[in-house]
């Protein structure tokens, strides 16, 4: 099943290694397009292009903030390493030279300065970066999962409103015969009060015109069709936010037309309720990717 994703999400992942600790945090809010911002330690600024590429492959929309806190263990800082074997060989060579007639004593400092005798062990930056990227990938998975979870909650709320819209449309359909009969009696009473004699043909013509003006069958059919289409869009899943936003415009158009044709308080109330339901859906859809 393809999921619907919210543009709101958060994930945090902590990495502990022999060199120290690192904490990734990713958070996002709704945004028309995909925008990414980074807060990285200076020594890891080179990771930014790789992070951006990962986001672009996984996300479609949203304002995303990505941060890394990095702490290096003190014990992992550069340490002095002594090549004892090489130092011994140098001292033995110096002793041999001295025994051969050179009376100068071997200077230990000179021995230590000899290339390869001592070396500073530096942290393996490439190894750390590889581990950081692996940790980031785990954070990104959790982040996408959080957006999916929020998206499913939104989907459930939208489906509830769609069901309610169908119920309101059915309510209007049920009321229409009663409304038409009431309006027919109202027109006849006005004619009688005005003492206007109308033949059956004229009355029938008036009823036809009235029915045409009050006919909302087309609007109700389109509302039902929009419900079906919206359900199919959500079932398809993925980045459907823009498509759903368009559907809300179509819903509003039919609800407005229904309200403009209404001459009955029950139908007017249904038109108002439809607008409320549509607005509630629209608010949720604003956060869908």
């Amino acid at each position: 099943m393809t999921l619907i994703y919210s543009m709101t999400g958060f994930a945090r992942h902590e990495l502990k290694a022999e060199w120290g600790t690192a904490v990734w945090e990713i958070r996002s809010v709704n945004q028309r397009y995909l925008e990414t911002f980074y807060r990285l330690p200076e020594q890891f600024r080179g990771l930014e292009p790789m992070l951006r590429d990962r986001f672009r492959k996984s996300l479609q929309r949203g304002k995303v903030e990505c941060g890394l806190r990095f702490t290096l263990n003190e014990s992992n800082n550069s340490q002095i390493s002594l090549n004892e074997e090489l130092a011994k060989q140098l001292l033995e060579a110096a002793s041999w030279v001295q025994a051969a007639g050179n009376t100068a004593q071997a200077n230990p400092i000179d021995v230590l300065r000899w290339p390869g005798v001592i070396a500073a062990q530096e942290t393996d930056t490439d190894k750390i970066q590889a581990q950081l990227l692996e940790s980031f990938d785990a954070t990104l998975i959790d982040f996408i999962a959080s957006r999916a979870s929020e998206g499913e909650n939104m989907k459930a709320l939208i489906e509830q409103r769609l069901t309610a819209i169908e119920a309101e449309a059915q309510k209007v359909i049920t009321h229409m015969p009663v409304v038409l009969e009431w309006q027919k009696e109202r027109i006849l009473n006005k004619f009688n009060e005005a003492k206007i004699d109308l033949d059956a043909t004229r009355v029938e013509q008036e009823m036809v015109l009235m029915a045409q003006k009050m006919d909302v069958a087309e609007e109700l059919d389109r509302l039902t069709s929009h419900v079906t289409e919206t359900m199919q869009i959500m079932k398809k899943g993925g980045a459907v936010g823009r498509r759903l936003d368009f559907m809300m415009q179509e819903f509003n158009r039919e609800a407005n037309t229904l309200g403009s044709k209404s001459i009955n308080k029950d139908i007017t109330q249904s038109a108002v309720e439809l607008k409320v339901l549509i607005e509630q859906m629209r608010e949720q859809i604003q956060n869908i990717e």
Side-chain angles (χ1 to χ4, degrees):
M1 180 181 65
T2 306
L3 299 175
I4 283 180
Y5 296 91
S6 167
M7 284 189 281
T8 303
F10 174 79
R12 182 181 186 276
H13 190 270
E14 182 175 4
L15 170 64
K16 293 184 178 180
E18 69 279 359
W19 42 260
T21 60
V23 178
W24 286 103
E25 283 190 0
I26 306 175
R27 65 183 74 241
S28 68
V29 294
N30 61 324
Q31 176 80 356
R32 188 175 181 183
Y33 302 105
L34 177 63
E35 288 187 283
T36 54
F37 302 88
Y38 305 90
R39 290 178 287 103
L40 305 176
E42 193 60 37
Q43 65 267 43
F44 296 115
R45 284 289 179 186
L47 294 177
E48 188 171 319
M50 289 176 277
L51 302 183
R52 183 177 290 107
D53 183 63
R54 282 166 162 79
F55 278 129
R56 286 176 177 171
K57 289 179 178 178
S58 303
L59 309 175
Q60 297 293 324
R61 295 201 295 166
K63 180 180 178 181
V64 183
E65 295 182 1
C66 174
L68 171 64
R69 294 199 303 272
F70 178 80
T71 304
L72 192 64
N73 289 338
E74 293 183 3
S75 60
N76 200 72
N77 290 334
S78 296
Q79 298 177 350
I80 296 299
S81 175
L82 176 65
N83 188 333
E84 296 183 6
E85 184 62 30
L86 179 58
K88 288 179 180 180
Q89 293 177 8
L90 290 172
L91 288 173
E92 290 176 357
S95 297
W96 180 85
V97 171
Q98 185 179 0
N102 190 337
T103 58
Q105 296 288 329
N107 188 339
I109 298 300
D110 292 334
V111 174
L112 294 176
R113 288 174 178 170
W114 192 270
V117 175
I118 61 173
Q121 295 180 342
E122 297 182 354
T123 303
D124 189 343
T125 304
D126 290 341
K127 178 182 177 182
I128 292 178
Q129 286 192 358
Q131 292 177 328
L132 288 176
L133 284 174
E134 184 178 349
S135 178
F136 172 82
D137 290 338
T139 313
L140 183 57
I141 290 173
D142 292 344
F143 174 70
I144 293 173
S146 75
R147 284 169 53 121
S149 176
E150 183 67 19
E152 286 303 293
N153 292 335
M154 292 178 178
K155 179 182 178 183
L157 292 173
I158 293 171
E159 288 176 343
Q160 291 174 8
R161 272 61 178 182
L162 290 172
T163 301
I165 286 174
E166 284 186 313
E168 287 299 329
Q170 187 60 44
K171 190 186 298 183
V172 173
I173 292 173
T174 303
H175 279 116
M176 283 309 298
V178 177
V179 172
L180 290 172
E181 185 62 29
W182 170 78
Q183 184 67 0
K184 178 180 178 180
E185 293 178 2
R186 183 180 172 207
I187 291 174
L188 290 175
N189 288 335
K190 285 185 177 182
F191 286 153
N192 291 331
E193 290 174 3
K195 297 182 180 182
I196 299 175
D197 294 329
L198 295 176
D199 57 27
T201 303
R202 178 65 185 277
V203 172
E204 183 178 350
Q205 290 174 346
E206 291 293 332
M207 293 302 104
V208 170
L209 290 174
M210 178 198 69
Q212 289 176 346
K213 292 179 180 179
M214 296 175 56
D215 184 19
V216 293
E218 188 175 349
E219 286 75 15
L220 296 175
D221 286 343
R222 281 199 290 260
L223 277 173
T224 303
S225 175
H226 294 340
V227 168
T228 302
E229 176 67 15
T230 304
M231 287 286 196
Q232 290 177 349
I233 291 172
M234 292 195 298
K235 184 178 180 180
K236 181 180 179 182
V240 296
R242 290 190 178 93
R243 184 72 182 274
L244 290 174
D245 189 59
F246 170 77
M247 292 305 302
M248 294 307 102
Q249 297 176 36
E250 297 299 302
F251 272 112
N252 265 318
R253 183 178 291 109
E254 306 309 329
N256 288 333
T257 305
L258 181 64
S260 67
K261 289 185 176 182
S262 174
I263 60 170
N264 175 276
K265 66 179 181 65
D266 293 326
I267 296 179
T268 300
Q269 184 177 352
S270 289
V272 172
E273 182 62 23
L274 284 171
K275 290 182 180 180
V276 171
L277 293 168
I278 294 166
E279 179 61 21
Q280 290 174 345
M281 288 195 297
R282 191 191 67 79
E283 290 176 354
Q284 296 296 326
I285 288 169
Q286 294 302 306
N287 288 318
I288 291 179
E289 185 178 41

